[in-house]
């Protein structure tokens, strides 16, 4: 399954590489599957300076503000694109198994499962929670209707 990880980010040029980019590298996500979206050209320059070129995904300029940025990202891809929105401060990706938090074995596998489950539920929206807290993790999806 084709997918693309999109990451809105603002003023985290230093920490993004020690958190989310390091995590994605751990899970062997190719750089060409990742795009960081920043608010303006100055931000882009900061990120380009902070992230070594050999570890740098594409960096695109969008708009300021999280909701407007997410809308800009959605408008920039084909309607049927498989986008995985990811926070810029993720330090690991875990799942709840037998009431214990454990690292996911394969992030690509989890992404594929996410899109397959969304398709079964008749939706295109799903996500990876940013907080590794078992209290908020459930082995089901939520119907917002």
């Amino acid at each position: 399954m084709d997918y693309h990880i999109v990451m809105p980010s603002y003023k985290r040029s230093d920490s993004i590489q020690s958190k989310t980019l390091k995590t994605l590298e751990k899970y062997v996500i190719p750089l060409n599957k990742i795009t960081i979206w920043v608010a303006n050209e100055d931000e882009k320059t900061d990120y380009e300076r902070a992230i070594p070129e050999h570890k740098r995904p594409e960096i695109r300029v969008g708009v300021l503000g999280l909701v407007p940025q997410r809308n800009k990202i959605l408008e920039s891809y084909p309607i049927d694109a498989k986008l995985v929105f990811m926070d810029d401060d993720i330090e690991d990706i875990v799942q709840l198994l037998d009431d214990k938090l454990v690292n996911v074995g394969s992030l690509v596998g989890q992404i594929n499962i996410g899109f397959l489950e969304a398709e079964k539920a008749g939706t295109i929206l799903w996500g990876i929670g940013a907080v590794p807290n078992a209290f908020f993790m459930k082995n089901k999806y939520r119907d917002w209707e």
Side-chain angles (χ1 to χ4, degrees), residues 84-102:
V84 179
F85 279 81
M86 189 168 282
D87 288 351
D88 61 359
D89 60 351
I90 303 279
E91 294 190 68
D92 205 355
I93 300 173
V94 297
Q95 61 185 339
L96 183 63
L97 291 176
D98 300 323
D99 296 326
K100 293 181 183 170
L101 294 177
V102 297

Side-chain angles (χ1 to χ4, degrees), residues 5 10 16 22 31 35 42 44 50 100-101 105 111 113 139:
I5 295 173
Y10 185 67
I16 195 170
K22 184 177 179 182
L31 288 176
T35 301
D42 289 339
K44 183 177 181 183
K100 293 181 183 170
L101 294 177
I111 289 169
I113 290 168
N139 289 321

Side-chain angles (χ1 to χ4, degrees), residues 121-122 142-145:
R142 180 172 177 173
D143 185 354
W144 292 95
E145 291 188 77

Side-chain angles (χ1 to χ4, degrees), residues 5-145:
I5 295 173
V6 292
M7 196 180 322
S9 188
Y10 185 67
K11 297 203 181 283
R12 291 193 173 160
S13 59
D14 291 326
S15 66
I16 195 170
Q17 60 188 314
S18 65
K19 293 185 179 180
T20 303
L21 292 178
K22 184 177 179 182
T23 299
L24 293 174
E25 182 179 17
K26 171 185 167 182
Y27 287 103
V28 196
I29 304 298
L31 288 176
N32 67 355
K33 294 283 189 186
I34 306 165
T35 301
I36 300 170
W37 285 79
V38 297
N40 55 51
E41 288 293 337
D42 289 339
E43 283 280 297
K44 183 177 181 183
T45 300
D46 289 345
Y47 281 69
E48 288 172 341
R49 284 186 189 135
I51 303 168
E53 189 172 352
H54 69 283
K55 292 189 173 206
R56 185 186 315 142
E58 180 180 8
I59 301 171
R60 289 192 189 176
V61 175
V63 295
L64 183 61
L66 186 56
V67 172
Q69 184 75 293
R70 287 185 179 173
N71 289 335
K72 173 72 172 174
I73 292 168
L74 287 171
E75 293 167 1
S76 299
Y77 292 89
I79 192 131
D80 60 346
K82 304 288 188 201
L83 300 179
V84 179
F85 279 81
M86 189 168 282
D87 288 351
D88 61 359
D89 60 351
I90 303 279
E91 294 190 68
D92 205 355
I93 300 173
V94 297
Q95 61 185 339
L96 183 63
L97 291 176
D98 300 323
D99 296 326
K100 293 181 183 170
L101 294 177
V102 297
N103 288 352
V104 298
S106 164
L107 179 53
V108 173
Q110 294 298 313
I111 289 169
N112 287 334
I113 290 168
F115 283 116
L116 290 173
E117 289 297 319
E119 186 177 322
K120 284 196 296 191
T123 185
I124 60 168
L125 184 61
W126 68 277
I128 296 171
V131 179
N133 184 328
F135 180 79
F136 296 105
M137 295 178 159
K138 307 289 183 233
N139 289 321
K140 63 180 181 175
Y141 65 88
R142 180 172 177 173
D143 185 354
W144 292 95
E145 291 188 77

